[in-house]
Amino acid sequence: NAGVTQTPKFQVLKTGQSMTLQCAQDMNHEYMSWYRQDPGMGLRLIHYSVGAGITDQGEVPNGYNVSRSTTEDFPLRLLSAAPSQTSVYFCASSYSGGTTEAFFGQGTRLTVV
Amino acid sequence: GENVEQHPSTLSVQEGDSAVIKCTYSDSASNYFPWYKQELGKRPQLIIDIRSNVGEKKDQRIAVTLNKTAKHFSLHITETQPEDSAVYFCAADGSGAGSYQLTFGKGTKLSVIP
């Protein structure tokens, strides 16, 4: 049982490039989410999904795109990377949205130069 | 939406002393209040949580208290040990559509001095 798996662990992008951060969970959780973590800012919600085919915006959605075609996978796309998107990104899944334990992936440290 | 304030941002204690971290929230309809611990370079992990129908919950050296009237909750760590050094985050769920979301505080960096 791997839990929540994120890839890659580290990534350096040039301004304007696009990329996809991968997230997969094997706990059959309906709810998945993406957070970014910046120093002194805590964890801020980017996008979330309550099930396959359903996504919604969180607190800081601009510049990011998501889709949920299967229960297991929830990729995060950076459309045109900017230095302001330099951050650590965490994917999480839970059984029932914000009312049960969130299981986090190991994180992706992204640097945009 | 929900707003969660967390204090202090940094906390240093001597090994064996107690540590207290406090959070306030804005949405009176919030019902779920988890605490996460994040060690350096690692992912956040749940250490304890409390729901609105309970005033206090304990798990060995860790306890959480909730005051719904005042809209604040606190994490108490007794007999601190060096391995308690980490960043701690409080969080709260929202109401309505926000019930699918956890809003996190900005974190408290706890340092336990041997």
Side-chain angles (χ1 to χ4, degrees):
Chain A
N1 194 347
V4 180
T5 303
Q6 281 181 243
T7 55
K9 281 190 174 181
F10 302 95
Q11 183 71 50
V12 178
L13 285 180
K14 293 183 178 179
T15 297
Q17 285 185 319
S18 63
M19 78 159 295
T20 300
L21 279 63
Q22 301 291 343
C23 177
Q25 53 94 7
D26 62 0
M27 295 174 282
N28 203 31
H29 287 163
E30 290 294 330
Y31 183 85
M32 296 185 74
S33 53
W34 277 101
Y35 293 88
R36 61 176 288 172
Q37 183 175 30
D38 302 293
M41 297 297 292
L43 292 152
R44 293 183 292 170
L45 183 65
I46 304 171
H47 285 285
Y48 65 97
S49 169
V50 300
I54 307 170
T55 64
D56 206 347
Q57 297 180 352
E59 180 186 354
V60 288
N62 292 340
Y64 307 96
N65 224 348
V66 292
S67 60
R68 184 97 178 269
S69 56
T70 67
T71 299
E72 294 78 20
D73 301 297
F74 190 44
L76 178 73
R77 296 182 188 84
L78 278 72
L79 309 172
S80 177
S84 61
Q85 294 179 302
T86 294
S87 187
V88 179
Y89 292 85
F90 286 98
C91 176
S93 75
S94 64
Y95 175 73
S96 178
T99 59
T100 54
E101 178 180 1
F103 294 85
F104 287 85
Q106 68 267 48
T108 297
R109 183 173 294 275
L110 175 69
T111 302
V112 182
V113 298
Chain B
E2 176 70 278
N3 183 47
V4 177
E5 299 282 343
Q6 183 172 347
H7 300 280
S9 56
T10 61
L11 180 60
S12 291
V13 299
Q14 291 290 136
E15 182 178 355
D17 287 350
S18 295
V20 180
I21 302 170
K22 299 181 179 181
C23 289
T24 61
Y25 61 98
S26 61
D27 189 341
S28 58
S30 293
N31 287 308
Y32 179 63
F33 307 92
W35 286 88
Y36 287 82
K37 176 183 180 182
Q38 186 180 29
E39 296 176 352
L40 188 63
K42 301 288 183 64
R43 72 190 79 189
Q45 291 189 295
L46 181 75
I47 55 171
I48 195 167
D49 56 14
I50 192 167
R51 297 188 186 274
S52 59
N53 58 345
V54 175
E56 183 176 3
K57 185 177 179 180
K58 288 184 179 179
D59 183 3
Q60 299 182 352
R61 297 185 298 107
I62 293 173
V64 57
T65 58
L66 172 65
N67 184 326
K68 283 219 73 178
T69 302
K71 290 190 285 187
H72 67 71
F73 56 113
S74 300
L75 178 71
H76 305 254
I77 306 173
T78 59
E79 301 173 11
T80 54
Q81 301 168 3
E83 52 264 37
D84 295 328
S85 295
V87 178
Y88 292 81
F89 294 97
C90 63
D93 70 339
S95 56
S99 64
Y100 293 112
Q101 305 177 26
L102 270 180
T103 300
F104 285 83
K106 293 184 177 181
T108 297
K109 183 177 181 181
L110 173 64
S111 300
V112 180
I113 304 163

